[in-house]
Amino acid sequence: MSNPLWMLVPWAVFAIAAGIKFWRLTSLFRRHLIGAPSGTEQFRSSLERAWTKDQQAA
């Protein structure tokens, strides 16, 4: 390798691969946050549903 810039090619490939991997991992969280309704009332109702389901199973 005569040109020292060729040393940057593996680092660029690594950076691109890491960015793609990070994007794919965080896409699950982004989809969940966008699709989920916000607010304490929805959270409270989901906790109540979980509690009743747990009480029925016991």
Side-chain angles (χ1 to χ4, degrees), residues 5-58:
L5 288 179
W6 283 108
M7 298 286 284
L8 295 177
V9 171
W11 286 105
V13 170
F14 172 77
I16 291 170
I20 291 171
K21 185 72 165 180
F22 179 77
W23 184 261
R24 291 180 71 197
L25 284 174
T26 57
S27 69
L28 298 173
F29 296 112
R30 281 184 273 116
R31 257 188 257 135
H32 178 69
L33 290 176
I34 290 172
S38 62
T40 56
E41 193 63 32
Q42 288 88 5
F43 183 67
R44 183 187 61 79
S45 64
S46 69
L47 285 177
E48 287 178 354
R49 284 192 304 271
W51 183 77
T52 34
K53 184 180 175 184
D54 186 45
Q55 291 295 322
Q56 290 173 353

